[in-house]
Amino acid sequence: MTWRNLCSAAVVNNEDSLFVKIDIEGAEFDVVPDVLESHRQITSLVIEVHDLDTRFSEFLSLHEQIAAHFVLVHTHCNNYSRWVPSIGCTSAVELTYLHRSLLHDASTAALAKGGYCRVDLDRPCNPENPECRLRF
């Protein structure tokens, strides 16, 4: 199933707004570029990115593609995955983006300065492991 097929099956038209959550165990690197073709319809995009220990440069490129249309508003390390010292986070992270068209200039500026992290929103994925914070 492709993104276009999924949109067709859901009878998505140009007036529909979409909230998209992607948690597909590493395939996000292949799927997100297709999803971004529909960026005008997507209000929010939540992605769990996997394999950062081996695909970090691909992740940075993917993040740049997303950032062309969306602003990162929340991050959460998945503490079930392993800590990767070389990149300063776990090998899987959950990222929430909001479409730039929904933000005013002042909001976008505050978010760009790291004003997106509210530490009281999250709970550890694994309560037996320490929680970690991701900021970039």
Side-chain angles (χ1 to χ4, degrees):
M1 167 89 42
T2 66
W3 173 253
R4 285 190 185 130
N5 290 344
L6 182 62
C7 285
S8 295
V11 193
V12 174
N13 61 52
N14 288 335
E15 288 87 43
D16 290 335
S17 294
L18 301 173
F19 176 95
V20 178
K21 181 170 185 345
I22 299 172
D23 185 357
I24 48 180
E25 308 305 316
E28 58 276 0
F29 293 98
D30 299 322
V31 172
V32 169
D34 291 340
V35 171
L36 290 176
E37 291 179 12
S38 304
H39 71 87
R40 287 176 189 84
Q41 294 172 264
I42 299 170
T43 57
S44 302
L45 183 60
V46 179
I47 307 170
E48 185 169 58
V49 182
H50 300 84
D51 305 322
L52 292 178
D53 52 338
T54 59
R55 301 180 81 175
F56 192 68
S57 61
E58 286 177 80
F59 162 69
L60 292 176
S61 175
L62 186 69
H63 174 70
E64 285 182 22
Q65 292 173 50
I66 296 168
H69 308 289
F70 297 87
V71 174
L72 181 66
V73 295
H74 187 253
T75 64
H76 184 243
C77 292
N78 182 332
N79 71 344
Y80 267 109
S81 60
R82 70 182 189 83
W83 181 258
V84 184
S86 63
I87 59 174
C89 67
T90 56
S91 63
V93 296
E94 300 157 356
L95 305 171
T96 304
Y97 296 89
L98 188 62
H99 199 280
R100 290 183 177 279
S101 67
L102 300 175
L103 297 170
H104 301 290
D105 290 338
S107 298
T108 304
L111 290 167
K113 292 179 183 175
Y116 55 83
C117 275
R118 281 191 48 198
V119 297
D120 59 335
L121 292 177
D122 295 312
R123 299 290 178 260
C125 297
N126 181 350
E128 295 182 16
N129 287 342
E131 183 75 318
C132 53
R133 304 276 179 237
L134 172 65
R135 292 180 68 88
F136 64 96

